[in-house]
Amino acid sequence: MPRKVVQGPIRDKEKTKLKLLGAVGKILRTKGYSGLKVSKIAAVAGFDKKLIYEYFGSTDKLIDEYIKSQDYWSQIAAGNVEEEITDGGQELSKIALVNQFENLKKNKELQKIILWELSENKPILRKLADEREEMGDLMFKNITDPYFGEEKAKKFRAIMALLISGAYYLNIHTATNGSNFCGLDMKSEEGRAEIENALKEIVDFAYQS
């Protein structure tokens, strides 16, 4: 019986790319963004650094691909909404916000990326922010804006901006400086449930007002 061939140029390339992307995450998690140097990434992955240029074109493009793979809103916008939306995006908004809140808690690398965005002005991070805005704008224009109308749509966008940024801050604050915020324990299920309920109630209020 012929032996099954499991290796090959395409399979090897994909495995190598995954290891290089994984090395970016490991360095980001343990050393922070200052450790993302081409030699360090290659060493952690166990490959020659020339493969970074061969498979990604540059270190920045490798890091860019990794960041996009971790960014919650980029993944949400890139996905397809299979069910027909008949409520102007009310339930979708609530689900997206709660999932973002929990996703960021679990994803330590994404926490580092958000901190990196806030602390350094770099083209790679500006590009990510711009692309995130473009994809988010498509979701607003196609789903919530038509439901609310021009003036109310702006108010809903403002509410979402506050909710999204608040979810970012609560998770990062909890991970770095302490678990309590406004008397709620952000490391407890009860405390986080209060935040999740508040997120949903505010969205409901926006749709009812």
Side-chain angles (χ1 to χ4, degrees), residues 93-117:
S93 296
K94 290 190 287 186
I95 292 169
L97 286 167
V98 170
N99 287 347
Q100 178 224 358
F101 185 59
E102 286 306 312
N103 176 268
L104 187 56
K105 174 195 172 185
K106 299 171 185 175
N107 195 329
K108 304 303 180 184
E109 291 88 349
L110 181 55
Q111 292 176 18
K112 296 282 188 181
I113 291 168
I114 299 299
L115 285 171
W116 191 11
E117 282 190 58

PDB file of all heavy atoms in Angstrom, residues 93-117:
ATOM      1  N   SER A  93     -26.028  43.733  17.824  1.00  0.00           N
ATOM      2  CA  SER A  93     -25.201  44.684  18.580  1.00  0.00           C
ATOM      3  C   SER A  93     -24.938  44.168  19.988  1.00  0.00           C
ATOM      4  O   SER A  93     -23.816  44.253  20.504  1.00  0.00           O
ATOM      5  CB  SER A  93     -25.889  46.049  18.645  1.00  0.00           C
ATOM      6  OG  SER A  93     -26.024  46.613  17.361  1.00  0.00           O
ATOM      7  N   LYS A  94     -25.970  43.626  20.630  1.00  0.00           N
ATOM      8  CA  LYS A  94     -25.811  43.118  21.990  1.00  0.00           C
ATOM      9  C   LYS A  94     -24.872  41.919  22.029  1.00  0.00           C
ATOM     10  O   LYS A  94     -23.982  41.843  22.888  1.00  0.00           O
ATOM     11  CB  LYS A  94     -27.176  42.745  22.578  1.00  0.00           C
ATOM     12  CG  LYS A  94     -28.060  43.946  22.862  1.00  0.00           C
ATOM     13  CD  LYS A  94     -29.296  43.576  23.672  1.00  0.00           C
ATOM     14  CE  LYS A  94     -30.298  42.834  22.866  1.00  0.00           C
ATOM     15  NZ  LYS A  94     -31.563  42.608  23.622  1.00  0.00           N
ATOM     16  N   ILE A  95     -25.053  41.008  21.090  1.00  0.00           N
ATOM     17  CA  ILE A  95     -24.202  39.819  21.038  1.00  0.00           C
ATOM     18  C   ILE A  95     -22.749  40.205  20.773  1.00  0.00           C
ATOM     19  O   ILE A  95     -21.824  39.698  21.420  1.00  0.00           O
ATOM     20  CB  ILE A  95     -24.697  38.846  19.946  1.00  0.00           C
ATOM     21  CG1 ILE A  95     -26.048  38.251  20.354  1.00  0.00           C
ATOM     22  CG2 ILE A  95     -23.686  37.735  19.691  1.00  0.00           C
ATOM     23  CD1 ILE A  95     -26.753  37.502  19.249  1.00  0.00           C
ATOM     24  N   ALA A  96     -22.539  41.128  19.831  1.00  0.00           N
ATOM     25  CA  ALA A  96     -21.188  41.554  19.476  1.00  0.00           C
ATOM     26  C   ALA A  96     -20.487  42.215  20.664  1.00  0.00           C
ATOM     27  O   ALA A  96     -19.303  41.958  20.932  1.00  0.00           O
ATOM     28  CB  ALA A  96     -21.224  42.507  18.290  1.00  0.00           C
ATOM     29  N   LEU A  97     -21.192  43.067  21.401  1.00  0.00           N
ATOM     30  CA  LEU A  97     -20.593  43.766  22.544  1.00  0.00           C
ATOM     31  C   LEU A  97     -20.236  42.807  23.666  1.00  0.00           C
ATOM     32  O   LEU A  97     -19.139  42.884  24.241  1.00  0.00           O
ATOM     33  CB  LEU A  97     -21.554  44.837  23.058  1.00  0.00           C
ATOM     34  CG  LEU A  97     -21.685  46.101  22.201  1.00  0.00           C
ATOM     35  CD1 LEU A  97     -22.877  46.917  22.658  1.00  0.00           C
ATOM     36  CD2 LEU A  97     -20.403  46.931  22.278  1.00  0.00           C
ATOM     37  N   VAL A  98     -21.141  41.909  24.002  1.00  0.00           N
ATOM     38  CA  VAL A  98     -20.876  40.948  25.079  1.00  0.00           C
ATOM     39  C   VAL A  98     -19.729  40.019  24.686  1.00  0.00           C
ATOM     40  O   VAL A  98     -18.839  39.735  25.504  1.00  0.00           O
ATOM     41  CB  VAL A  98     -22.157  40.137  25.408  1.00  0.00           C
ATOM     42  CG1 VAL A  98     -21.826  38.971  26.350  1.00  0.00           C
ATOM     43  CG2 VAL A  98     -23.195  41.039  26.055  1.00  0.00           C
ATOM     44  N   ASN A  99     -19.720  39.554  23.444  1.00  0.00           N
ATOM     45  CA  ASN A  99     -18.636  38.681  22.986  1.00  0.00           C
ATOM     46  C   ASN A  99     -17.302  39.403  22.977  1.00  0.00           C
ATOM     47  O   ASN A  99     -16.264  38.814  23.302  1.00  0.00           O
ATOM     48  CB  ASN A  99     -18.950  38.127  21.596  1.00  0.00           C
ATOM     49  CG  ASN A  99     -20.036  37.069  21.629  1.00  0.00           C
ATOM     50  OD1 ASN A  99     -20.403  36.573  22.694  1.00  0.00           O
ATOM     51  ND2 ASN A  99     -20.563  36.719  20.470  1.00  0.00           N
ATOM     52  N   GLN A 100     -17.324  40.697  22.607  1.00  0.00           N
ATOM     53  CA  GLN A 100     -16.092  41.475  22.639  1.00  0.00           C
ATOM     54  C   GLN A 100     -15.560  41.581  24.062  1.00  0.00           C
ATOM     55  O   GLN A 100     -14.375  41.422  24.313  1.00  0.00           O
ATOM     56  CB  GLN A 100     -16.329  42.882  22.096  1.00  0.00           C
ATOM     57  CG  GLN A 100     -15.090  43.778  22.152  1.00  0.00           C
ATOM     58  CD  GLN A 100     -15.394  45.189  22.648  1.00  0.00           C
ATOM     59  OE1 GLN A 100     -16.539  45.531  22.928  1.00  0.00           O
ATOM     60  NE2 GLN A 100     -14.374  46.001  22.756  1.00  0.00           N
ATOM     61  N   PHE A 101     -16.450  41.845  25.002  1.00  0.00           N
ATOM     62  CA  PHE A 101     -16.084  41.983  26.414  1.00  0.00           C
ATOM     63  C   PHE A 101     -15.415  40.715  26.928  1.00  0.00           C
ATOM     64  O   PHE A 101     -14.378  40.768  27.606  1.00  0.00           O
ATOM     65  CB  PHE A 101     -17.347  42.291  27.229  1.00  0.00           C
ATOM     66  CG  PHE A 101     -17.098  42.580  28.679  1.00  0.00           C
ATOM     67  CD1 PHE A 101     -16.272  43.630  29.071  1.00  0.00           C
ATOM     68  CD2 PHE A 101     -17.702  41.813  29.665  1.00  0.00           C
ATOM     69  CE1 PHE A 101     -16.058  43.903  30.417  1.00  0.00           C
ATOM     70  CE2 PHE A 101     -17.497  42.073  31.002  1.00  0.00           C
ATOM     71  CZ  PHE A 101     -16.674  43.117  31.388  1.00  0.00           C
ATOM     72  N   GLU A 102     -15.963  39.560  26.572  1.00  0.00           N
ATOM     73  CA  GLU A 102     -15.401  38.289  27.031  1.00  0.00           C
ATOM     74  C   GLU A 102     -14.155  37.900  26.241  1.00  0.00           C
ATOM     75  O   GLU A 102     -13.215  37.335  26.779  1.00  0.00           O
ATOM     76  CB  GLU A 102     -16.459  37.189  26.948  1.00  0.00           C
ATOM     77  CG  GLU A 102     -17.506  37.289  28.037  1.00  0.00           C
ATOM     78  CD  GLU A 102     -16.890  37.334  29.429  1.00  0.00           C
ATOM     79  OE1 GLU A 102     -16.019  36.504  29.740  1.00  0.00           O
ATOM     80  OE2 GLU A 102     -17.261  38.228  30.217  1.00  0.00           O
ATOM     81  N   ASN A 103     -14.167  38.205  24.943  1.00  0.00           N
ATOM     82  CA  ASN A 103     -13.016  37.877  24.103  1.00  0.00           C
ATOM     83  C   ASN A 103     -11.758  38.582  24.579  1.00  0.00           C
ATOM     84  O   ASN A 103     -10.682  37.981  24.653  1.00  0.00           O
ATOM     85  CB  ASN A 103     -13.323  38.251  22.651  1.00  0.00           C
ATOM     86  CG  ASN A 103     -12.147  38.033  21.714  1.00  0.00           C
ATOM     87  OD1 ASN A 103     -11.339  38.932  21.481  1.00  0.00           O
ATOM     88  ND2 ASN A 103     -12.038  36.836  21.168  1.00  0.00           N
ATOM     89  N   LEU A 104     -11.893  39.850  24.934  1.00  0.00           N
ATOM     90  CA  LEU A 104     -10.727  40.612  25.357  1.00  0.00           C
ATOM     91  C   LEU A 104     -10.192  40.118  26.702  1.00  0.00           C
ATOM     92  O   LEU A 104      -8.995  40.162  26.953  1.00  0.00           O
ATOM     93  CB  LEU A 104     -11.059  42.101  25.430  1.00  0.00           C
ATOM     94  CG  LEU A 104      -9.885  43.044  25.696  1.00  0.00           C
ATOM     95  CD1 LEU A 104      -8.786  42.856  24.648  1.00  0.00           C
ATOM     96  CD2 LEU A 104     -10.346  44.495  25.701  1.00  0.00           C
ATOM     97  N   LYS A 105     -11.078  39.663  27.571  1.00  0.00           N
ATOM     98  CA  LYS A 105     -10.641  39.111  28.848  1.00  0.00           C
ATOM     99  C   LYS A 105      -9.717  37.918  28.633  1.00  0.00           C
ATOM    100  O   LYS A 105      -8.694  37.778  29.315  1.00  0.00           O
ATOM    101  CB  LYS A 105     -11.856  38.675  29.670  1.00  0.00           C
ATOM    102  CG  LYS A 105     -11.485  37.951  30.966  1.00  0.00           C
ATOM    103  CD  LYS A 105     -12.675  37.236  31.558  1.00  0.00           C
ATOM    104  CE  LYS A 105     -12.269  36.366  32.738  1.00  0.00           C
ATOM    105  NZ  LYS A 105     -13.402  35.559  33.262  1.00  0.00           N
ATOM    106  N   LYS A 106     -10.062  37.058  27.678  1.00  0.00           N
ATOM    107  CA  LYS A 106      -9.312  35.826  27.444  1.00  0.00           C
ATOM    108  C   LYS A 106      -8.063  36.034  26.603  1.00  0.00           C
ATOM    109  O   LYS A 106      -7.109  35.254  26.691  1.00  0.00           O
ATOM    110  CB  LYS A 106     -10.221  34.801  26.754  1.00  0.00           C
ATOM    111  CG  LYS A 106     -11.447  34.426  27.577  1.00  0.00           C
ATOM    112  CD  LYS A 106     -12.411  33.591  26.735  1.00  0.00           C
ATOM    113  CE  LYS A 106     -13.701  33.311  27.494  1.00  0.00           C
ATOM    114  NZ  LYS A 106     -14.688  32.603  26.642  1.00  0.00           N
ATOM    115  N   ASN A 107      -8.074  37.051  25.768  1.00  0.00           N
ATOM    116  CA  ASN A 107      -6.999  37.238  24.793  1.00  0.00           C
ATOM    117  C   ASN A 107      -5.957  38.228  25.304  1.00  0.00           C
ATOM    118  O   ASN A 107      -6.077  39.441  25.113  1.00  0.00           O
ATOM    119  CB  ASN A 107      -7.587  37.714  23.462  1.00  0.00           C
ATOM    120  CG  ASN A 107      -6.607  37.593  22.322  1.00  0.00           C
ATOM    121  OD1 ASN A 107      -5.400  37.714  22.514  1.00  0.00           O
ATOM    122  ND2 ASN A 107      -7.129  37.379  21.124  1.00  0.00           N
ATOM    123  N   LYS A 108      -4.920  37.716  25.964  1.00  0.00           N
ATOM    124  CA  LYS A 108      -3.877  38.568  26.531  1.00  0.00           C
ATOM    125  C   LYS A 108      -3.079  39.282  25.448  1.00  0.00           C
ATOM    126  O   LYS A 108      -2.612  40.404  25.642  1.00  0.00           O
ATOM    127  CB  LYS A 108      -2.925  37.732  27.398  1.00  0.00           C
ATOM    128  CG  LYS A 108      -3.612  36.958  28.514  1.00  0.00           C
ATOM    129  CD  LYS A 108      -4.408  37.870  29.435  1.00  0.00           C
ATOM    130  CE  LYS A 108      -5.104  37.090  30.547  1.00  0.00           C
ATOM    131  NZ  LYS A 108      -5.956  37.948  31.397  1.00  0.00           N
ATOM    132  N   GLU A 109      -2.917  38.617  24.300  1.00  0.00           N
ATOM    133  CA  GLU A 109      -2.193  39.247  23.202  1.00  0.00           C
ATOM    134  C   GLU A 109      -2.952  40.460  22.680  1.00  0.00           C
ATOM    135  O   GLU A 109      -2.351  41.497  22.393  1.00  0.00           O
ATOM    136  CB  GLU A 109      -1.963  38.242  22.068  1.00  0.00           C
ATOM    137  CG  GLU A 109      -0.983  37.138  22.393  1.00  0.00           C
ATOM    138  CD  GLU A 109      -1.661  35.944  23.047  1.00  0.00           C
ATOM    139  OE1 GLU A 109      -2.853  36.062  23.435  1.00  0.00           O
ATOM    140  OE2 GLU A 109      -1.002  34.903  23.184  1.00  0.00           O
ATOM    141  N   LEU A 110      -4.282  40.344  22.577  1.00  0.00           N
ATOM    142  CA  LEU A 110      -5.076  41.473  22.096  1.00  0.00           C
ATOM    143  C   LEU A 110      -5.008  42.630  23.095  1.00  0.00           C
ATOM    144  O   LEU A 110      -4.980  43.796  22.691  1.00  0.00           O
ATOM    145  CB  LEU A 110      -6.527  41.046  21.869  1.00  0.00           C
ATOM    146  CG  LEU A 110      -7.480  42.121  21.336  1.00  0.00           C
ATOM    147  CD1 LEU A 110      -6.955  42.741  20.050  1.00  0.00           C
ATOM    148  CD2 LEU A 110      -8.882  41.543  21.117  1.00  0.00           C
ATOM    149  N   GLN A 111      -4.959  42.327  24.383  1.00  0.00           N
ATOM    150  CA  GLN A 111      -4.786  43.382  25.381  1.00  0.00           C
ATOM    151  C   GLN A 111      -3.491  44.142  25.137  1.00  0.00           C
ATOM    152  O   GLN A 111      -3.451  45.377  25.213  1.00  0.00           O
ATOM    153  CB  GLN A 111      -4.785  42.780  26.790  1.00  0.00           C
ATOM    154  CG  GLN A 111      -6.118  42.218  27.229  1.00  0.00           C
ATOM    155  CD  GLN A 111      -6.042  41.557  28.599  1.00  0.00           C
ATOM    156  OE1 GLN A 111      -5.114  41.786  29.363  1.00  0.00           O
ATOM    157  NE2 GLN A 111      -7.029  40.737  28.917  1.00  0.00           N
ATOM    158  N   LYS A 112      -2.431  43.405  24.824  1.00  0.00           N
ATOM    159  CA  LYS A 112      -1.139  44.036  24.529  1.00  0.00           C
ATOM    160  C   LYS A 112      -1.227  44.903  23.278  1.00  0.00           C
ATOM    161  O   LYS A 112      -0.647  45.993  23.221  1.00  0.00           O
ATOM    162  CB  LYS A 112      -0.060  42.959  24.330  1.00  0.00           C
ATOM    163  CG  LYS A 112       0.235  42.116  25.549  1.00  0.00           C
ATOM    164  CD  LYS A 112       1.103  42.840  26.542  1.00  0.00           C
ATOM    165  CE  LYS A 112       1.546  41.906  27.666  1.00  0.00           C
ATOM    166  NZ  LYS A 112       2.383  42.610  28.660  1.00  0.00           N
ATOM    167  N   ILE A 113      -1.962  44.413  22.269  1.00  0.00           N
ATOM    168  CA  ILE A 113      -2.101  45.168  21.024  1.00  0.00           C
ATOM    169  C   ILE A 113      -2.842  46.477  21.274  1.00  0.00           C
ATOM    170  O   ILE A 113      -2.450  47.531  20.753  1.00  0.00           O
ATOM    171  CB  ILE A 113      -2.840  44.315  19.966  1.00  0.00           C
ATOM    172  CG1 ILE A 113      -1.948  43.141  19.523  1.00  0.00           C
ATOM    173  CG2 ILE A 113      -3.222  45.167  18.760  1.00  0.00           C
ATOM    174  CD1 ILE A 113      -2.681  42.081  18.716  1.00  0.00           C
ATOM    175  N   ILE A 114      -3.915  46.430  22.074  1.00  0.00           N
ATOM    176  CA  ILE A 114      -4.664  47.648  22.389  1.00  0.00           C
ATOM    177  C   ILE A 114      -3.775  48.645  23.117  1.00  0.00           C
ATOM    178  O   ILE A 114      -3.769  49.850  22.804  1.00  0.00           O
ATOM    179  CB  ILE A 114      -5.904  47.323  23.234  1.00  0.00           C
ATOM    180  CG1 ILE A 114      -6.859  46.391  22.476  1.00  0.00           C
ATOM    181  CG2 ILE A 114      -6.630  48.607  23.644  1.00  0.00           C
ATOM    182  CD1 ILE A 114      -7.389  46.954  21.191  1.00  0.00           C
ATOM    183  N   LEU A 115      -2.996  48.177  24.087  1.00  0.00           N
ATOM    184  CA  LEU A 115      -2.069  49.057  24.805  1.00  0.00           C
ATOM    185  C   LEU A 115      -1.031  49.642  23.858  1.00  0.00           C
ATOM    186  O   LEU A 115      -0.655  50.813  23.972  1.00  0.00           O
ATOM    187  CB  LEU A 115      -1.371  48.285  25.933  1.00  0.00           C
ATOM    188  CG  LEU A 115      -2.214  48.001  27.177  1.00  0.00           C
ATOM    189  CD1 LEU A 115      -1.469  47.034  28.101  1.00  0.00           C
ATOM    190  CD2 LEU A 115      -2.528  49.291  27.918  1.00  0.00           C
ATOM    191  N   TRP A 116      -0.581  48.821  22.928  1.00  0.00           N
ATOM    192  CA  TRP A 116       0.398  49.272  21.931  1.00  0.00           C
ATOM    193  C   TRP A 116      -0.206  50.374  21.076  1.00  0.00           C
ATOM    194  O   TRP A 116       0.431  51.392  20.799  1.00  0.00           O
ATOM    195  CB  TRP A 116       0.796  48.068  21.081  1.00  0.00           C
ATOM    196  CG  TRP A 116       1.974  48.279  20.181  1.00  0.00           C
ATOM    197  CD1 TRP A 116       2.858  49.334  20.187  1.00  0.00           C
ATOM    198  CD2 TRP A 116       2.413  47.403  19.135  1.00  0.00           C
ATOM    199  NE1 TRP A 116       3.809  49.166  19.212  1.00  0.00           N
ATOM    200  CE2 TRP A 116       3.563  47.993  18.551  1.00  0.00           C
ATOM    201  CE3 TRP A 116       1.957  46.183  18.661  1.00  0.00           C
ATOM    202  CZ2 TRP A 116       4.248  47.389  17.500  1.00  0.00           C
ATOM    203  CZ3 TRP A 116       2.646  45.592  17.609  1.00  0.00           C
ATOM    204  CH2 TRP A 116       3.767  46.192  17.042  1.00  0.00           C
ATOM    205  N   GLU A 117      -1.458  50.198  20.668  1.00  0.00           N
ATOM    206  CA  GLU A 117      -2.139  51.224  19.876  1.00  0.00           C
ATOM    207  C   GLU A 117      -2.225  52.553  20.620  1.00  0.00           C
ATOM    208  O   GLU A 117      -2.126  53.627  20.017  1.00  0.00           O
ATOM    209  CB  GLU A 117      -3.554  50.765  19.532  1.00  0.00           C
ATOM    210  CG  GLU A 117      -3.650  49.770  18.408  1.00  0.00           C
ATOM    211  CD  GLU A 117      -5.091  49.554  17.979  1.00  0.00           C
ATOM    212  OE1 GLU A 117      -5.751  50.537  17.588  1.00  0.00           O
ATOM    213  OE2 GLU A 117      -5.564  48.405  18.030  1.00  0.00           O
TER     214      GLU A 117
END
